[in-house]
mmCIF file of all heavy atoms in Angstrom:
data_model
loop_
_atom_site.group_PDB
_atom_site.id
_atom_site.type_symbol
_atom_site.label_atom_id
_atom_site.label_comp_id
_atom_site.label_asym_id
_atom_site.label_seq_id
_atom_site.Cartn_x
_atom_site.Cartn_y
_atom_site.Cartn_z
ATOM 1 N N PRO J 1 103.495 114.700 87.369
ATOM 2 C CA PRO J 1 102.919 113.670 86.509
ATOM 3 C C PRO J 1 101.536 113.241 87.031
ATOM 4 O O PRO J 1 101.214 113.479 88.198
ATOM 5 C CB PRO J 1 103.910 112.508 86.664
ATOM 6 C CG PRO J 1 104.478 112.683 88.044
ATOM 7 C CD PRO J 1 104.519 114.169 88.284
ATOM 8 N N HIS J 2 100.749 112.642 86.148
ATOM 9 C CA HIS J 2 99.528 111.901 86.545
ATOM 10 C C HIS J 2 98.508 112.695 87.353
ATOM 11 O O HIS J 2 97.998 112.220 88.357
ATOM 12 C CB HIS J 2 99.902 110.647 87.357
ATOM 13 C CG HIS J 2 101.007 109.853 86.764
ATOM 14 N ND1 HIS J 2 101.043 109.521 85.418
ATOM 15 C CD2 HIS J 2 102.143 109.343 87.312
ATOM 16 C CE1 HIS J 2 102.150 108.819 85.169
ATOM 17 N NE2 HIS J 2 102.834 108.705 86.297
ATOM 18 N N LEU J 3 98.197 113.917 86.898
ATOM 19 C CA LEU J 3 97.226 114.711 87.657
ATOM 20 C C LEU J 3 95.822 114.092 87.645
ATOM 21 O O LEU J 3 95.025 114.379 88.527
ATOM 22 C CB LEU J 3 97.168 116.144 87.114
ATOM 23 C CG LEU J 3 98.149 117.097 87.762
ATOM 24 C CD1 LEU J 3 98.228 118.402 86.989
ATOM 25 C CD2 LEU J 3 97.767 117.380 89.221
ATOM 26 N N TYR J 4 95.540 113.227 86.664
ATOM 27 C CA TYR J 4 94.209 112.599 86.614
ATOM 28 C C TYR J 4 93.949 111.788 87.891
ATOM 29 O O TYR J 4 92.806 111.476 88.221
ATOM 30 C CB TYR J 4 94.086 111.687 85.385
ATOM 31 C CG TYR J 4 95.034 110.510 85.444
ATOM 32 C CD1 TYR J 4 94.670 109.331 86.089
ATOM 33 C CD2 TYR J 4 96.315 110.599 84.897
ATOM 34 C CE1 TYR J 4 95.553 108.272 86.188
ATOM 35 C CE2 TYR J 4 97.212 109.549 84.990
ATOM 36 C CZ TYR J 4 96.824 108.385 85.646
ATOM 37 O OH TYR J 4 97.700 107.338 85.757
ATOM 38 N N LEU J 5 95.017 111.451 88.631
ATOM 39 C CA LEU J 5 94.839 110.672 89.863
ATOM 40 C C LEU J 5 94.006 111.418 90.895
ATOM 41 O O LEU J 5 93.508 110.819 91.843
ATOM 42 C CB LEU J 5 96.205 110.313 90.478
ATOM 43 C CG LEU J 5 97.020 109.278 89.696
ATOM 44 C CD1 LEU J 5 98.455 109.215 90.212
ATOM 45 C CD2 LEU J 5 96.362 107.898 89.779
ATOM 46 N N ILE J 6 93.837 112.726 90.701
ATOM 47 C CA ILE J 6 93.014 113.489 91.658
ATOM 48 C C ILE J 6 91.594 112.918 91.689
ATOM 49 O O ILE J 6 90.904 112.999 92.702
ATOM 50 C CB ILE J 6 92.990 114.998 91.312
ATOM 51 C CG1 ILE J 6 92.412 115.803 92.483
ATOM 52 C CG2 ILE J 6 92.206 115.268 90.035
ATOM 53 C CD1 ILE J 6 92.505 117.309 92.322
ATOM 54 N N LEU J 7 91.172 112.303 90.572
ATOM 55 C CA LEU J 7 89.815 111.735 90.520
ATOM 56 C C LEU J 7 89.710 110.487 91.395
ATOM 57 O O LEU J 7 88.611 110.036 91.703
ATOM 58 C CB LEU J 7 89.434 111.390 89.077
ATOM 59 C CG LEU J 7 89.336 112.605 88.142
ATOM 60 C CD1 LEU J 7 89.136 112.156 86.706
ATOM 61 C CD2 LEU J 7 88.215 113.534 88.576
ATOM 62 N N GLN J 8 90.860 109.913 91.766
ATOM 63 C CA GLN J 8 90.832 108.735 92.651
ATOM 64 C C GLN J 8 91.007 109.155 94.110
ATOM 65 O O GLN J 8 91.220 108.319 94.977
ATOM 66 C CB GLN J 8 91.945 107.763 92.257
ATOM 67 C CG GLN J 8 91.775 107.207 90.857
ATOM 68 C CD GLN J 8 93.004 106.421 90.405
ATOM 69 O OE1 GLN J 8 93.785 105.938 91.216
ATOM 70 N NE2 GLN J 8 93.173 106.309 89.099
ATOM 71 N N THR J 9 90.955 110.456 94.365
ATOM 72 C CA THR J 9 91.038 110.944 95.747
ATOM 73 C C THR J 9 89.785 111.772 96.012
ATOM 74 O O THR J 9 89.105 112.171 95.070
ATOM 75 C CB THR J 9 92.259 111.881 95.934
ATOM 76 O OG1 THR J 9 91.962 113.152 95.325
ATOM 77 C CG2 THR J 9 93.520 111.304 95.306
ATOM 78 N N PRO J 10 89.492 112.038 97.281
ATOM 79 C CA PRO J 10 88.302 112.880 97.567
ATOM 80 C C PRO J 10 88.518 114.355 97.203
ATOM 81 O O PRO J 10 87.587 115.144 97.275
ATOM 82 C CB PRO J 10 88.108 112.745 99.081
ATOM 83 C CG PRO J 10 89.170 111.836 99.584
ATOM 84 C CD PRO J 10 90.160 111.572 98.499
ATOM 85 N N LEU J 11 89.751 114.722 96.827
ATOM 86 C CA LEU J 11 90.061 116.148 96.640
ATOM 87 C C LEU J 11 89.233 116.783 95.530
ATOM 88 O O LEU J 11 88.736 117.900 95.679
ATOM 89 C CB LEU J 11 91.563 116.330 96.373
ATOM 90 C CG LEU J 11 92.071 117.758 96.199
ATOM 91 C CD1 LEU J 11 91.703 118.639 97.381
ATOM 92 C CD2 LEU J 11 93.593 117.780 95.999
ATOM 93 N N PHE J 12 89.059 116.079 94.408
ATOM 94 C CA PHE J 12 88.312 116.683 93.299
ATOM 95 C C PHE J 12 86.875 116.985 93.725
ATOM 96 O O PHE J 12 86.362 118.089 93.519
ATOM 97 C CB PHE J 12 88.330 115.776 92.062
ATOM 98 C CG PHE J 12 87.729 116.427 90.845
ATOM 99 C CD1 PHE J 12 88.386 117.465 90.205
ATOM 100 C CD2 PHE J 12 86.492 116.026 90.348
ATOM 101 C CE1 PHE J 12 87.833 118.092 89.088
ATOM 102 C CE2 PHE J 12 85.934 116.643 89.233
ATOM 103 C CZ PHE J 12 86.608 117.674 88.604
ATOM 104 N N GLY J 13 86.232 116.005 94.360
ATOM 105 C CA GLY J 13 84.861 116.221 94.842
ATOM 106 C C GLY J 13 84.778 117.375 95.821
ATOM 107 O O GLY J 13 83.791 118.115 95.852
ATOM 108 N N ASN J 14 85.830 117.564 96.603
ATOM 109 C CA ASN J 14 85.792 118.639 97.603
ATOM 110 C C ASN J 14 86.061 120.020 97.008
ATOM 111 O O ASN J 14 85.606 121.025 97.549
ATOM 112 C CB ASN J 14 86.743 118.325 98.763
ATOM 113 C CG ASN J 14 86.131 117.268 99.675
ATOM 114 O OD1 ASN J 14 84.916 117.233 99.859
ATOM 115 N ND2 ASN J 14 86.956 116.389 100.223
ATOM 116 N N ILE J 15 86.769 120.066 95.872
ATOM 117 C CA ILE J 15 86.862 121.343 95.151
ATOM 118 C C ILE J 15 85.454 121.729 94.692
ATOM 119 O O ILE J 15 85.021 122.877 94.815
ATOM 120 C CB ILE J 15 87.807 121.221 93.933
ATOM 121 C CG1 ILE J 15 89.245 120.956 94.388
ATOM 122 C CG2 ILE J 15 87.765 122.495 93.078
ATOM 123 C CD1 ILE J 15 90.200 120.609 93.246
ATOM 124 N N LEU J 16 84.714 120.731 94.182
ATOM 125 C CA LEU J 16 83.339 120.996 93.716
ATOM 126 C C LEU J 16 82.440 121.369 94.898
ATOM 127 O O LEU J 16 81.576 122.235 94.778
ATOM 128 C CB LEU J 16 82.778 119.775 92.974
ATOM 129 C CG LEU J 16 83.570 119.301 91.750
ATOM 130 C CD1 LEU J 16 82.852 118.151 91.050
ATOM 131 C CD2 LEU J 16 83.824 120.432 90.765
ATOM 132 N N GLN J 17 82.646 120.708 96.047
ATOM 133 C CA GLN J 17 81.858 121.060 97.233
ATOM 134 C C GLN J 17 82.074 122.535 97.585
ATOM 135 O O GLN J 17 81.125 123.261 97.879
ATOM 136 C CB GLN J 17 82.302 120.212 98.437
ATOM 137 C CG GLN J 17 81.858 118.777 98.372
ATOM 138 C CD GLN J 17 80.423 118.595 98.841
ATOM 139 O OE1 GLN J 17 79.565 119.451 98.599
ATOM 140 N NE2 GLN J 17 80.149 117.500 99.501
ATOM 141 N N SER J 18 83.337 122.946 97.581
ATOM 142 C CA SER J 18 83.639 124.340 97.931
ATOM 143 C C SER J 18 82.916 125.278 96.983
ATOM 144 O O SER J 18 82.328 126.284 97.396
ATOM 145 C CB SER J 18 85.152 124.579 97.858
ATOM 146 O OG SER J 18 85.432 125.958 97.975
ATOM 147 N N LEU J 19 82.937 124.936 95.684
ATOM 148 C CA LEU J 19 82.318 125.816 94.688
ATOM 149 C C LEU J 19 80.794 125.829 94.804
ATOM 150 O O LEU J 19 80.139 126.754 94.334
ATOM 151 C CB LEU J 19 82.746 125.380 93.285
ATOM 152 C CG LEU J 19 84.198 125.770 92.951
ATOM 153 C CD1 LEU J 19 84.720 124.970 91.775
ATOM 154 C CD2 LEU J 19 84.297 127.268 92.678
ATOM 155 N N GLN J 20 80.230 124.808 95.439
ATOM 156 C CA GLN J 20 78.778 124.776 95.602
ATOM 157 C C GLN J 20 78.325 125.332 96.949
ATOM 158 O O GLN J 20 77.192 125.785 97.084
ATOM 159 C CB GLN J 20 78.270 123.329 95.491
ATOM 160 C CG GLN J 20 78.448 122.752 94.099
ATOM 161 C CD GLN J 20 78.113 121.267 94.084
ATOM 162 O OE1 GLN J 20 76.982 120.895 93.836
ATOM 163 N NE2 GLN J 20 79.082 120.438 94.378
ATOM 164 N N LYS J 21 79.208 125.280 97.950
ATOM 165 C CA LYS J 21 78.748 125.592 99.304
ATOM 166 C C LYS J 21 79.393 126.827 99.920
ATOM 167 O O LYS J 21 78.783 127.484 100.754
ATOM 168 C CB LYS J 21 79.061 124.414 100.240
ATOM 169 C CG LYS J 21 78.619 123.059 99.742
ATOM 170 C CD LYS J 21 77.229 122.731 100.255
ATOM 171 C CE LYS J 21 76.788 121.366 99.775
ATOM 172 N NZ LYS J 21 77.432 120.262 100.486
ATOM 173 N N ASP J 22 80.678 127.079 99.601
ATOM 174 C CA ASP J 22 81.351 128.171 100.308
ATOM 175 C C ASP J 22 80.770 129.520 99.925
ATOM 176 O O ASP J 22 80.301 129.717 98.806
ATOM 177 C CB ASP J 22 82.864 128.129 100.050
ATOM 178 C CG ASP J 22 83.548 127.070 100.902
ATOM 179 O OD1 ASP J 22 83.050 126.824 102.024
ATOM 180 O OD2 ASP J 22 84.539 126.481 100.456
ATOM 181 N N GLU J 23 80.806 130.457 100.872
ATOM 182 C CA GLU J 23 80.184 131.761 100.631
ATOM 183 C C GLU J 23 81.211 132.875 100.475
ATOM 184 O O GLU J 23 80.857 133.985 100.101
ATOM 185 C CB GLU J 23 79.211 132.056 101.779
ATOM 186 C CG GLU J 23 77.992 131.125 101.701
ATOM 187 C CD GLU J 23 77.187 131.074 102.990
ATOM 188 O OE1 GLU J 23 77.325 132.012 103.811
ATOM 189 O OE2 GLU J 23 76.432 130.097 103.171
ATOM 190 N N SER J 24 82.493 132.584 100.759
ATOM 191 C CA SER J 24 83.528 133.600 100.609
ATOM 192 C C SER J 24 83.963 133.698 99.157
ATOM 193 O O SER J 24 84.331 132.702 98.536
ATOM 194 C CB SER J 24 84.739 133.243 101.471
ATOM 195 O OG SER J 24 85.907 133.842 100.940
ATOM 196 N N THR J 25 83.916 134.901 98.607
ATOM 197 C CA THR J 25 84.311 135.092 97.206
ATOM 198 C C THR J 25 85.764 134.676 96.989
ATOM 199 O O THR J 25 86.111 134.073 95.978
ATOM 200 C CB THR J 25 84.166 136.584 96.802
ATOM 201 O OG1 THR J 25 82.876 137.039 97.207
ATOM 202 C CG2 THR J 25 84.305 136.767 95.308
ATOM 203 N N PHE J 26 86.608 135.007 97.957
ATOM 204 C CA PHE J 26 88.036 134.711 97.815
ATOM 205 C C PHE J 26 88.268 133.197 97.723
ATOM 206 O O PHE J 26 88.984 132.704 96.853
ATOM 207 C CB PHE J 26 88.802 135.309 99.002
ATOM 208 C CG PHE J 26 90.299 135.239 98.834
ATOM 209 C CD1 PHE J 26 90.913 135.782 97.724
ATOM 210 C CD2 PHE J 26 91.086 134.624 99.797
ATOM 211 C CE1 PHE J 26 92.300 135.723 97.566
ATOM 212 C CE2 PHE J 26 92.468 134.563 99.653
ATOM 213 C CZ PHE J 26 93.078 135.114 98.534
ATOM 214 N N THR J 27 87.601 132.456 98.616
ATOM 215 C CA THR J 27 87.748 130.992 98.626
ATOM 216 C C THR J 27 87.231 130.397 97.328
ATOM 217 O O THR J 27 87.878 129.552 96.700
ATOM 218 C CB THR J 27 86.961 130.403 99.819
ATOM 219 O OG1 THR J 27 87.434 131.019 101.012
ATOM 220 C CG2 THR J 27 87.153 128.894 99.905
ATOM 221 N N VAL J 28 86.045 130.836 96.916
ATOM 222 C CA VAL J 28 85.431 130.299 95.705
ATOM 223 C C VAL J 28 86.304 130.606 94.487
ATOM 224 O O VAL J 28 86.485 129.767 93.596
ATOM 225 C CB VAL J 28 84.002 130.876 95.550
ATOM 226 C CG1 VAL J 28 83.481 130.726 94.143
ATOM 227 C CG2 VAL J 28 83.076 130.173 96.544
ATOM 228 N N ASN J 29 86.889 131.795 94.469
ATOM 229 C CA ASN J 29 87.741 132.142 93.342
ATOM 230 C C ASN J 29 88.986 131.260 93.284
ATOM 231 O O ASN J 29 89.405 130.810 92.215
ATOM 232 C CB ASN J 29 88.117 133.624 93.421
ATOM 233 C CG ASN J 29 88.515 134.177 92.066
ATOM 234 O OD1 ASN J 29 87.868 133.887 91.057
ATOM 235 N ND2 ASN J 29 89.588 134.930 92.026
ATOM 236 N N LEU J 30 89.588 130.977 94.456
ATOM 237 C CA LEU J 30 90.757 130.081 94.487
ATOM 238 C C LEU J 30 90.377 128.671 94.036
ATOM 239 O O LEU J 30 91.108 128.020 93.278
ATOM 240 C CB LEU J 30 91.345 130.007 95.905
ATOM 241 C CG LEU J 30 92.325 131.092 96.323
ATOM 242 C CD1 LEU J 30 92.706 130.916 97.794
ATOM 243 C CD2 LEU J 30 93.589 131.067 95.466
ATOM 244 N N ALA J 31 89.220 128.191 94.509
ATOM 245 C CA ALA J 31 88.768 126.850 94.104
ATOM 246 C C ALA J 31 88.538 126.819 92.595
ATOM 247 O O ALA J 31 88.849 125.830 91.921
ATOM 248 C CB ALA J 31 87.479 126.484 94.847
ATOM 249 N N LEU J 32 88.009 127.913 92.067
ATOM 250 C CA LEU J 32 87.724 127.973 90.629
ATOM 251 C C LEU J 32 89.020 127.982 89.815
ATOM 252 O O LEU J 32 89.118 127.330 88.769
ATOM 253 C CB LEU J 32 86.889 129.218 90.312
ATOM 254 C CG LEU J 32 86.320 129.268 88.889
ATOM 255 C CD1 LEU J 32 85.357 128.104 88.649
ATOM 256 C CD2 LEU J 32 85.599 130.591 88.638
ATOM 257 N N ILE J 33 90.032 128.714 90.297
ATOM 258 C CA ILE J 33 91.320 128.710 89.595
ATOM 259 C C ILE J 33 91.856 127.276 89.553
ATOM 260 O O ILE J 33 92.301 126.794 88.514
ATOM 261 C CB ILE J 33 92.347 129.636 90.307
ATOM 262 C CG1 ILE J 33 91.908 131.099 90.178
ATOM 263 C CG2 ILE J 33 93.738 129.455 89.706
ATOM 264 C CD1 ILE J 33 92.703 132.062 91.065
ATOM 265 N N ALA J 34 91.797 126.586 90.691
ATOM 266 C CA ALA J 34 92.293 125.207 90.740
ATOM 267 C C ALA J 34 91.527 124.340 89.741
ATOM 268 O O ALA J 34 92.116 123.558 88.979
ATOM 269 C CB ALA J 34 92.156 124.642 92.160
ATOM 270 N N LEU J 35 90.195 124.493 89.707
ATOM 271 C CA LEU J 35 89.374 123.667 88.811
ATOM 272 C C LEU J 35 89.697 123.956 87.342
ATOM 273 O O LEU J 35 89.872 123.034 86.534
ATOM 274 C CB LEU J 35 87.889 123.946 89.091
ATOM 275 C CG LEU J 35 86.890 123.123 88.269
ATOM 276 C CD1 LEU J 35 87.039 121.627 88.569
ATOM 277 C CD2 LEU J 35 85.448 123.562 88.562
ATOM 278 N N VAL J 36 89.803 125.242 86.999
ATOM 279 C CA VAL J 36 90.110 125.620 85.610
ATOM 280 C C VAL J 36 91.468 125.055 85.191
ATOM 281 O O VAL J 36 91.653 124.590 84.060
ATOM 282 C CB VAL J 36 90.086 127.168 85.463
ATOM 283 C CG1 VAL J 36 90.736 127.607 84.165
ATOM 284 C CG2 VAL J 36 88.642 127.675 85.524
ATOM 285 N N MET J 37 92.431 125.059 86.111
ATOM 286 C CA MET J 37 93.752 124.527 85.790
ATOM 287 C C MET J 37 93.720 123.007 85.632
ATOM 288 O O MET J 37 94.463 122.438 84.842
ATOM 289 C CB MET J 37 94.753 124.898 86.887
ATOM 290 C CG MET J 37 95.102 126.382 86.907
ATOM 291 S SD MET J 37 96.006 126.825 88.419
ATOM 292 C CE MET J 37 97.689 126.559 87.931
ATOM 293 N N LEU J 38 92.852 122.338 86.399
ATOM 294 C CA LEU J 38 92.853 120.870 86.401
ATOM 295 C C LEU J 38 92.094 120.239 85.241
ATOM 296 O O LEU J 38 92.526 119.222 84.691
ATOM 297 C CB LEU J 38 92.237 120.362 87.722
ATOM 298 C CG LEU J 38 93.136 120.442 88.954
ATOM 299 C CD1 LEU J 38 92.301 120.335 90.231
ATOM 300 C CD2 LEU J 38 94.201 119.333 88.913
#
């Protein structure tokens, strides 16, 4: 329930950080899957 609560935690911002900063394709792809699902 209540997945929108992720916006009240630092986790959402850190998914975006990973997508902007990480250089590993595998990591970025996992972060992107999480973002697309959320």
